[in-house]
Amino acid sequence: MEDDRSIEKQNPDVRSTESLSINSSLSQETPSSSLPATQMSLEERYLIVRSIGEECIQEDELMNLLAKKPEPICYDGFEPSGRMHIAQGVMKAISVNKLTSAGCRVKIWVADWFAQLNNKMDGDLKKIEVVGRYMIEIWKSVGMNIDGGKVEFLWSSKEINSRAYEYWPLVMDIARRNKLPRIMRCVQIMGRSEQDELTAAQIFYPCMQCADIFFLKADICQLGMDQRKVNVLAREYCDDIKRKNKPIILSHHMLPGLHQGQEKMSKSDPSSSIFMEDDEAEVNVKIKKAYCPPTIVEGNPCLEYIKYLIFPWFKEFKIERKPDNGGDKIYKSFDELVVDYGSGDLHPGDLKPALSKAINKILQPVRDHFANDSNAKDLLKRVKAYRVTR
């Protein structure tokens, strides 16, 4: 039977259940292959899908899936829990666009009941719904390519209620087959630790999230590294029930916060995160204050943002500086930039303004949408007024 600890050794490295077909003028700017999936080779499709994950469990299973299934189902999900930062907004748009370009279908689970279980928005389901609708507006405006029916936003409460006879027996079977310590190892998926004083609802949560994978008939779990333990639980459950085809885990990188030593962005610390509707001045100030020591590459959040956001989006990174400081330079690869930064040829004083400019260019259509669309404007106003609860 697979265990998340043994796998780490093997892999060091609007409430609606219908597809939301939303046009965006920026869809073509987010990365995807220029060829339709039907004209790509298996290797090309594999490389696109695999590029999303910092870790893949397992790569041979992914290759086999793509060879046998033209349109694999990918599952992603989110708790509507407050304002959206760029790690969630931009990175998810990039990942979804890559997946659909390679022929995948993406089911995005709007986990409203899960947010309630985890006491987000004080467990107020009406507020949670508002936040969920706001988040969909973000992806609609940033350029997630959801026109064409390959992306579905599914509200967990409505989907579970419509097929309760299928969902709850699955949850109960998963709970019955696992001891409490194994479930406790999964609580980080909620942003909790095993040392926290948890409610009974939070103990039940991992069993439900594990069930979601099978309920949605997912072939690929495309979530962050912080969700890997429950995804591994789903693979273990397959061993328990003698199911041959296990969900493939494709875990994406977690962007750090802007301050030194912050492993991930935090909504509860606004200074550590860039939010999707931050204005240009706010972005400039946050990047200016961000941890970015000269010549230090490891643990440098500014470099991580360039690697995981700017290069995938623009395919290049432009530095503008005076001739006395080396003149303008366009980097075509992150490795090239790292060499210059590590040697001191590229200084934080030149890198930070270029990073701010690139981020602002990505976010401007989002700002425009929330300024000009009355529904989006109202949602943002309401979300900003809510108190963020942990």
Side-chain angles (χ1 to χ4, degrees):
M1 181 180 293
E2 289 180 300
D3 180 272
D4 54 342
R5 291 168 292 191
S6 64
I7 286 177
E8 285 169 4
K9 296 176 183 176
Q10 297 168 20
N11 294 272
D13 303 84
V14 60
R15 189 175 290 243
S16 170
T17 61
E18 308 217 352
S19 299
L20 298 183
S21 296
I22 303 169
N23 294 312
S24 170
S25 60
L26 287 191
S27 295
Q28 67 274 18
E29 287 190 26
T30 39
S32 64
S33 171
S34 57
L35 288 173
T38 53
Q39 295 180 24
M40 291 184 203
S41 68
L42 173 60
E43 182 69 18
E44 285 172 323
R45 293 176 64 218
Y46 171 81
L47 289 174
I48 290 172
V49 175
R50 179 62 184 89
S51 71
I52 292 166
E54 183 171 291
E55 176 186 65
C56 178
I57 306 174
Q58 302 281 354
E59 290 182 337
D60 59 331
E61 295 176 16
L62 176 59
M63 180 69 84
N64 187 51
L65 171 68
L66 294 172
K68 292 183 176 180
K69 193 168 184 177
E71 294 187 334
I73 295 172
C74 302
Y75 147 73
D76 199 347
F78 66 95
E79 278 187 4
S81 58
R83 294 176 66 195
M84 185 188 291
H85 49 57
I86 59 173
Q88 188 175 25
V90 179
M91 281 188 72
K92 195 183 293 293
I94 290 170
S95 296
V96 167
N97 288 0
K98 284 185 175 184
L99 290 168
T100 56
S101 76
C104 298
R105 293 188 171 273
V106 182
K107 294 182 178 182
I108 300 179
W109 196 233
V110 187
D112 51 349
W113 270 3
F114 293 77
Q116 185 180 43
L117 285 170
N118 204 15
N119 200 41
K120 298 300 172 68
M121 297 292 119
D122 286 317
D124 186 328
L125 203 56
K126 290 184 178 179
K127 289 182 179 179
I128 290 167
E129 180 184 348
V130 169
V131 177
R133 289 165 53 206
Y134 145 84
M135 291 178 135
I136 293 171
E137 289 294 318
I138 292 279
W139 288 311
K140 164 183 174 178
S141 58
V142 78
M144 183 182 285
N145 188 14
I146 51 182
D147 186 27
K150 286 201 169 185
V151 179
E152 292 178 286
F153 287 94
L154 304 172
W155 293 80
S156 68
S157 56
K158 188 167 185 178
E159 290 295 303
I160 291 169
N161 276 335
S162 69
R163 293 157 54 201
Y165 60 89
E166 181 181 342
Y167 186 80
W168 292 115
L170 183 56
V171 173
M172 290 189 290
D173 193 49
I174 291 167
R176 185 178 64 83
R177 292 174 183 271
N178 286 278
K179 299 290 190 285
L180 186 58
R182 178 65 187 91
I183 300 302
M184 288 291 291
R185 292 215 308 274
C186 294
V187 297
Q188 76 174 86
I189 65 174
M190 301 175 284
R192 311 290 173 178
S193 76
E194 294 180 48
Q195 285 71 47
D196 288 348
E197 187 174 346
L198 302 173
T199 65
Q202 289 164 332
I203 300 295
F204 204 45
Y205 186 121
C207 298
M208 290 176 63
Q209 185 168 326
C210 182
D212 293 343
I213 297 166
F214 304 100
F215 184 67
L216 295 172
K217 297 178 171 52
D219 301 302
I220 298 172
C221 301
Q222 200 285 291
L223 299 161
M225 286 294 293
D226 59 340
Q227 304 293 304
R228 72 184 301 280
K229 289 183 182 295
V230 75
N231 293 333
V232 171
L233 180 68
R235 289 178 64 90
E236 293 175 0
Y237 179 66
C238 289
D239 289 329
D240 289 339
I241 63 174
K242 305 295 188 292
R243 172 173 163 155
K244 184 179 179 181
N245 294 325
K246 301 178 182 181
I248 294 158
I249 304 173
L250 202 59
S251 303
H252 65 71
H253 181 73
M254 303 294 292
L255 273 187
L258 292 168
H259 304 321
Q260 183 177 7
Q262 287 185 317
E263 292 186 359
K264 60 185 288 189
M265 286 190 181
S266 170
K267 294 177 184 178
S268 59
D269 180 5
S271 67
S272 76
S273 304
I274 294 172
F275 294 103
M276 291 296 291
E277 352 74 26
D278 277 349
D279 63 34
E280 185 174 344
E282 287 174 313
V283 171
N284 293 342
V285 168
K286 288 179 179 182
I287 293 296
K288 187 175 182 179
K289 293 181 177 180
Y291 177 69
C292 188
T295 74
I296 303 299
V297 174
E298 292 298 320
N300 187 324
C302 290
L303 292 183
E304 292 229 6
Y305 293 6
I306 294 168
K307 179 179 181 179
Y308 290 100
L309 300 177
I310 307 307
F311 272 109
W313 196 276
F314 295 111
K315 303 295 195 293
E316 64 181 29
F317 182 61
K318 184 178 182 180
I319 296 290
E320 296 176 340
R321 55 191 174 187
K322 296 177 181 178
D324 293 349
N325 294 329
D328 295 354
K329 184 168 183 177
I330 296 178
Y331 291 95
K332 294 294 186 179
S333 75
F334 181 71
D335 290 342
E336 179 188 7
L337 183 145
V338 164
V339 170
D340 276 8
Y341 193 84
S343 69
D345 288 344
L346 177 57
H347 191 270
D350 297 313
L351 180 141
K352 284 185 171 185
L355 175 57
S356 295
K357 185 174 182 178
I359 291 174
N360 278 317
K361 188 174 181 180
I362 295 172
L363 297 186
Q364 190 56 47
V366 180
R367 298 178 190 131
D368 293 343
H369 180 66
F370 279 88
N372 299 323
D373 185 283
S374 58
N375 175 58
K377 184 187 293 187
D378 177 64
L379 289 171
L380 177 59
K381 181 181 178 181
R382 293 163 71 181
V383 170
K384 282 186 171 181
Y386 295 158
R387 183 174 69 92
V388 175
T389 57
R390 186 178 182 278

